[in-house]
Structures are given as structure tokens and as C-alpha cells.
């Protein structure tokens, strides 16, 4: 049988992706065995922690309920689920906590139902796809705006324009929701949360400007006991909601929204991604509970300290190699926030000190992410290429993810291999590789 009309369209779409080198595929499960992990979100390496494994198996053994969850939270509300929510509300100093099956479900649930007709949502331009999905399903889908990534001037101007244009925002009748990530997943940049809160409080004195912070990548890594950046900055009472996910540094799955009693109640009634789905299974809840044991008892803190030290070492090593080897920036370069060492005395209002924190996510920009990734792979290192549409056009990269299990020697090896690859390109392409205009030695000072 010839392909149907539907099949024709699907095949053409996939072929188009193939032609543009952006077709997605699942990797062979055996292909990554033995490679040094520079790509997973398992930042604390808890997925291979014997301590966590033993604790999990022991708690599972003793748990009254161990299989499934029986249905939606609204149908079957297990003790394990409510106990974990109580624990998380207390741990994160939040009025309440509400579990979701994933961070995607949590963002979709929140943004699809909390903003009301007449309200406005303003997102950082790099906000996660799940926030966009939520907004698309909301009643304010035509009132979404974005500001330049981490740019306080852009955000301030956008909000000021909205206040001037919309009487409802001035009177307090309508609300504005600002959505940011505390640590951005593709860029490893840190949001200036305190300054964003201050802008909102200044421009919306009636209290109708709300901040929602996605802490997916900061969970377990930053703040006291890994509580995240909102907690580190003492902003718990000044944000409307926080999202923490369990699938990254916590080696679990699922997510929690930390918010007020009223918003939790509303989500329970209107968030379809919570209502119409089977709740997290008991083993998932137990595994998350065990990960929080490790956050509370200080184990995670030690792991994150090592992780961040390793990340700084990688950045410093590669930065030096790029400069001393005169690698052209189209072959390899850091984005502006990593291209230079942090200033000795940063001006907090212009470039918040936290912008310079070491992070587990280090993007290395390159016009040839796939060949570079393949080269590293042959040397036993797994660092993945990220291309459009996941990142903007022209910002292709290798996204290096660091982990507690990575050693200083491993990251030195990675940096050296990247530079060796670039030099091989220069040699094989002759002058064309060098001909591109901007080299690492010509980068302008960063705008953070
Ligand atoms: C910033 C951010 N938010 C939310 C999510 C979704 O979380 P989950 O993987 O738990 O669905 C992700 C994961 O990719 C993320 O990077």
C-alpha cells in the first residue's frame, strides 16, 4: 500500500528535520556504557549512590504500600503522598506543597489555570517549554510577553509599558505573573531573583505582580540543604510559587509546587494535569523521601560543593586554553557570562553577585556541536550537542553537565580534548577555519 496522505505529511516533516540535522532519536541504551557522564541531569550523582540505594530499598521493604498509587490524587490520597507534602512544605518553609507527576505537569497545571482573564504573563525568553505549554492552554494565551534573558532593563521596560497600557494592572483588578527559572537549563545562567522581586514590588504596589520560580535545576544544588535559590536569597515570602523537580539532582521523578493554601486548593480543582492522571506511584514517593533525607542530613551539601568546585575548574581550565591556543570563537567559545573571570568587586545592582555562581551546566558554544560530540565520545566522554530548536539559531552548543562523581582530572581531559578537536579543525580546514571574524581574544565584555 502506498503511504496515506497522513503518512506522507509525517514522513515529509521528519525528512525535513533530517535534512536540517535536527531530527531527534532515542540513543541506543548500551551506547553510553562506560562513558564519562557529562550530559545527564543527575548532578549529585545520586542515581548511583549506594547510600541512597540502600536507604530506598530498606524504606520500600518497610512501607505499608509499595505498588502503584491506585488512581488520581483526588480518588486515592495515600498517606505517603500527604506525608511527603507535609515534609516538603516544612522543609522549604512554604505554607503548602502539592505533588505533581512531573515538572512538565506542574508547569502546565499552574500556568493553564491560575492566570485569570485580563491577567498577563511575562516570561524570560529562555523559559522552559512546559511553561509555554501551560500558557497555550490558559485563558490568557494572547496576553503572553517575553523579556530578554536575565535582562532587568528589558523586564522593567516591559512591565512599565504594561502598567501604562492597562488600567486593570494599575488598579490592581488584574495581575501580572512573571515566570523565570532560577538556574537556566540550557545556559547555566542564574536569574537575578532579588532584583526581579524588587521591580515587581515597586511597579505593582497593590501586590498584583507575582513571581513564579522554576527551581528544577537548582534543587539539591544551591541554598541551605539544597533548598534552592529562593531559599538562599530569603525570598520565600515574596514569590507566589516555586517549582522543585525530583527527576534531576534528586534521582527520582515527579515535582512539587510550593505555594499558598488558596492556590493549592485552586490547583486541586482546576489543574487538569493533576486531576486527570494517576498520582505518583508509592516507590516514586518513597525514593523522593529518601533523597530529601540526604538533603537534610548534609550528604547532598558535600556532593554539591564538590560538583561546583569541579565546574569552576572546568570553566577556568577551558577559558585559559581557549585564549592561549587562540581558538576561533565559531569553533569553541564560552557565552558572555563565562568568557571572563568574575570581576573582583561586582556592582550588585548591575550584575548581581549570584550571576557568578559556579553551576552544574556549562554551555560551550560551537558551530559544529555534532562532530565535536562524536569526537569526545570516541575518547570516552559523553557530552551532548544541543541545537535549534532547543536553543536559538546560531547558539548551537555542547551542553556540559557536571556531576558530583566527576573528577578534576576528568574535566581537564574534557577541556583539553575540546581544544585538540578545534586545533584539528583548523589544521584540516586551513585558513577557512581561522577566517571567521571573531576570536575568543576579541570577545566584548559580557552584558549580564
Ligand atoms: C526548567 C525546567 N522546568 C521543568 C522541567 C520539567 O521537569 P520534569 O522533567 O520533571 O518534567 C524541566 C525538565 O526538562 C526543566 O528543565
Amino acid at each position: 500500500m502506498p503511504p496515506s496522505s497522513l503518512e506522507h505529511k509525517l514522513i515529509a516533516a521528519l525528512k525535513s528535520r533530517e535534512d536540517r540535522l535536527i531530527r531527534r532519536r532515542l540513543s541506543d541504551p548500551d551506547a553510553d556504557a562506560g562513558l564519562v557522564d557529562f550530559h545527564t541531569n543527575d548532578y549529585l550523582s545520586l542515581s548511583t549512590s549506594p547510600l541512597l540505594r540502600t536507604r530506598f530499598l530498606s524504606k520500600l521493604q518497610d512501607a505499608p504500600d509499595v505498588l502503584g498509587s491506585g488512581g488520581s490524587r483526588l480518588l486515592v490520597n495515600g498517606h505517603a503522598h500527604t506525608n511527603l507534602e507535609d515534609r516538603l512544605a516544612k522543609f522549604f518553609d512554604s505554607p503548602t506543597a502539592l505533588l505533581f507527576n512531573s515538572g512538565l505537569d506542574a508547569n502546565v497545571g499552574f500556568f493553564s489555570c491560575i492566570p485569570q482573564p485580563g491577567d498577563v504573563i511575562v516570561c524570560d525568553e529562555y523559559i522552559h517549554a512546559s511553561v509555554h505549554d501551560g500558557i497555550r492552554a490558559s485563558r490568557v494565551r494572547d496576553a503572553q510577553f517575553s523579556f530578554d534573558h536575565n535582562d532587568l532593563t528589558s523586564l522593567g521596560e516591559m512591565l512599565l509599558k504594561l502598567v501604562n497600557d492597562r488600567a486593570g494592572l494599575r488598579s490592581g483588578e488584574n495581575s501580572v505573573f512573571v515566570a523565570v527559572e532560577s538556574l537556566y537549563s540550557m545556559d547555566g545562567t542564574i536569574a537575578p531573583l532579588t532584583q526581579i522581586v524588587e521591580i515587581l514590588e515597586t511597579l505593582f504596589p497593590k501586590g498584583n505582580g507575582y513571581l513564579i520560580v522554576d527551581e528544577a535545576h537548582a534543587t539539591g544544588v544551591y541554598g541551605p540543604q539544597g533548598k534552592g535559590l529562593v531559599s538562599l536569597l530569603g525570598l520565600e515570602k515574596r514569590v507566589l510559587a516555586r517549582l522543585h523537580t525530583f527527576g534531576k539532582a534528586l534521582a527520582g521523578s515527579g515535582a512539587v509546587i510550593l505555594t499558598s493554601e488558596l492556590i493549592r486548593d485552586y490547583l486541586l480543582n482546576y489543574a487538569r494535569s493533576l486531576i486527570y492522571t494517576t498520582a505518583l506511584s508509592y516507590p516514586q514517593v518513597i525514593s523522593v523521601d529518601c533523597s530529601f533525607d540526604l538533603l537534610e542530613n548534609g550528604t547532598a551539601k558535600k556532593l554539591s560543593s564538590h560538583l561546583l568546585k569541579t565546574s569552576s575548574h572546568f570553566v577556568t581550565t577551558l577559558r585559559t586554553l581557549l585564549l592561549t591556543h587562540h581558538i576561533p570563537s565559531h569553533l569553541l567559545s564560552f557565552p558572555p557570562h563565562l568568557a571572563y573571570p568574575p570581576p573582583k568587586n561586582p556592582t550588585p545592582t548591575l550584575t548581581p553577585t549570584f550571576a557568578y555562581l559556579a553551576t552544574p551546566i556549562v554551555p560551550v558554544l560551537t558551530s559544529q556541536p555534532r562532530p565535536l560530540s562524536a569526537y569526545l565520545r570516541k575518547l570516552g566522554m559523553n557530552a551532548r550537542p544541543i541545537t535549534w530548536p532547543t536553543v536559538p539559531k546560531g547558539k548551537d552548543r555542547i551542553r556540559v553537565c557536571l556531576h558530583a562523581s566527576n573528577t578534576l582530572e576528568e574535566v581537564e581531559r574534557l577541556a583539553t580534548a575540546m581544544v585538540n578537536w578545534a586545533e584539528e579543525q583548523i589544521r584540516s580546514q586551513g585558513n577557512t577555519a581561522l577566517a571567521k571574524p571573531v576570536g575568543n581574544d576579541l570577545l566584548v565584555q559580557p552584558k549580564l
Side-chain angles (χ1 to χ4, degrees):
M1 264 237 299
S4 68
S5 165
L6 171 66
E7 285 167 340
H8 258 305
K9 289 172 193 161
L10 303 186
I11 290 165
L14 289 172
K15 179 167 179 324
S16 160
R17 286 211 147 182
E18 187 87 54
D19 293 345
R20 290 175 292 148
L21 302 177
I22 56 167
R23 177 154 176 187
R24 295 177 164 119
R25 282 196 169 83
L26 293 176
S27 60
D28 170 357
D30 293 328
D32 293 352
L35 299 179
V36 181
D37 177 6
F38 288 122
H39 82 289
T40 71
N41 297 325
D42 182 24
Y43 303 125
L44 298 179
S45 304
L46 287 185
S47 72
T48 50
S49 156
L51 207 62
L52 182 58
R53 185 187 168 96
T54 310
R55 188 177 282 260
F56 170 61
L57 292 176
S58 151
K59 273 201 181 181
L60 195 64
Q61 185 72 41
D62 296 341
D65 303 298
V66 295
L67 292 172
S69 67
S72 160
R73 275 303 286 295
L74 292 154
L75 203 63
V76 187
N77 186 23
H79 280 296
H81 297 70
T82 51
N83 289 344
L84 181 60
E85 285 176 343
D86 290 347
R87 174 184 191 174
L88 295 184
K90 205 157 149 234
F91 178 73
F92 286 109
D93 189 17
S94 167
T96 69
L98 184 60
L99 294 174
F100 282 79
N101 287 355
S102 69
L104 184 141
D105 280 356
N107 273 334
V108 168
F110 185 95
F111 286 96
S112 63
C113 77
I114 297 296
Q116 303 293 307
D119 292 348
V120 172
I121 305 182
V122 176
C123 302
D124 185 287
E125 63 175 323
Y126 289 176
I127 200 72
H128 193 256
S130 52
V131 172
H132 289 290
D133 288 355
I135 296 170
R136 239 177 253 142
S138 76
R139 288 171 288 175
V140 294
R141 53 182 303 165
D142 298 325
Q144 179 190 2
F145 301 86
S146 71
F147 62 97
D148 295 346
H149 176 54
N150 267 356
D151 187 327
L152 293 169
T153 308
S154 169
L155 172 65
E157 284 172 2
M158 166 73 65
L159 291 175
L160 202 56
K161 180 165 174 12
L162 287 167
V163 171
N164 287 335
D165 290 354
R166 298 181 183 231
L169 289 180
R170 287 195 299 281
S171 70
E173 167 74 17
N174 298 126
S175 303
V176 63
F177 298 85
V178 172
V180 298
E181 294 175 33
S182 51
L183 170 63
Y184 282 87
S185 58
M186 290 298 144
D187 289 74
T189 39
I190 289 186
L193 294 178
T194 306
Q195 287 78 359
I196 294 175
V197 167
E198 282 165 0
I199 289 174
L200 278 169
E201 290 174 353
T202 307
L203 292 181
F204 299 91
K206 295 192 159 68
N208 55 326
Y210 298 105
L211 180 62
I212 299 99
V213 184
D214 182 334
E215 298 245 40
H217 294 269
T219 307
V221 177
Y222 294 116
Q225 297 175 305
K227 289 178 192 176
L229 279 154
V230 168
S231 174
L232 180 66
L233 297 167
L235 298 173
E236 294 93 332
K237 308 281 183 286
R238 295 166 76 188
V239 304
L240 180 68
R242 282 174 272 170
L243 168 71
H244 287 275
T245 63
F246 311 141
K248 304 186 192 299
L250 303 190
S253 67
V256 64
I257 288 190
L258 306 165
T259 190
S260 67
E261 193 83 55
L262 175 62
I263 300 247
R264 182 179 189 274
D265 197 9
Y266 194 90
L267 290 169
L268 276 171
N269 279 276
Y270 289 97
R272 298 169 69 86
S273 57
L274 176 86
I275 300 166
Y276 298 109
T277 185
T278 302
L280 287 173
S281 70
Y282 287 107
Q284 289 172 312
V285 174
I286 291 166
S287 117
V288 171
D289 198 43
C290 293
S291 294
F292 277 93
D293 289 346
L294 299 195
L295 295 198
E296 278 188 348
N297 73 15
T299 306
K301 195 79 226 162
K302 287 193 199 114
L303 296 172
S304 70
S305 299
H306 173 75
L307 154 69
L308 297 178
K309 197 170 105 193
T310 311
S311 165
S312 292
H313 188 64
F314 172 63
V315 171
T316 317
T317 308
L318 183 57
R319 188 192 287 135
T320 307
L321 289 173
L322 291 178
L323 289 173
T324 52
H325 289 241
H326 302 290
I327 304 297
S329 64
H330 69 281
L331 285 178
L332 280 185
S333 66
F334 275 135
H337 72 286
L338 296 174
Y340 289 89
K344 293 260 176 327
N345 301 306
T347 328
T349 44
L350 292 176
T351 46
T353 320
F354 288 108
Y356 298 107
L357 280 178
T359 82
I361 302 161
V362 178
V364 180
L365 304 179
T366 172
S367 56
Q368 301 176 48
R370 287 174 205 277
L372 174 53
S373 175
Y375 178 92
L376 297 170
R377 210 177 169 82
K378 283 201 186 116
L379 296 175
M381 292 175 272
N382 195 356
R384 291 284 168 86
I386 309 276
T387 59
W388 182 86
T390 306
V391 290
K393 280 190 174 147
K395 298 263 176 81
D396 287 356
R397 65 197 62 187
I398 295 285
R399 174 178 176 246
V400 177
C401 290
L402 285 315
H403 307 94
S405 64
N406 290 133
T407 63
L408 298 182
E409 293 72 32
E410 281 171 357
V411 299
E412 282 168 12
R413 208 152 65 78
L414 177 63
T416 307
M418 286 180 153
V419 170
N420 287 345
W421 171 82
E423 291 190 316
E424 278 184 24
Q425 303 313 300
I426 296 168
R427 277 195 295 277
S428 68
Q429 293 167 25
N431 286 338
T432 47
L434 286 166
K436 301 276 172 21
V438 183
N440 280 293
D441 40 358
L442 298 176
L443 279 171
V444 287
Q445 274 290 352
K447 177 177 131 203
L448 288 169

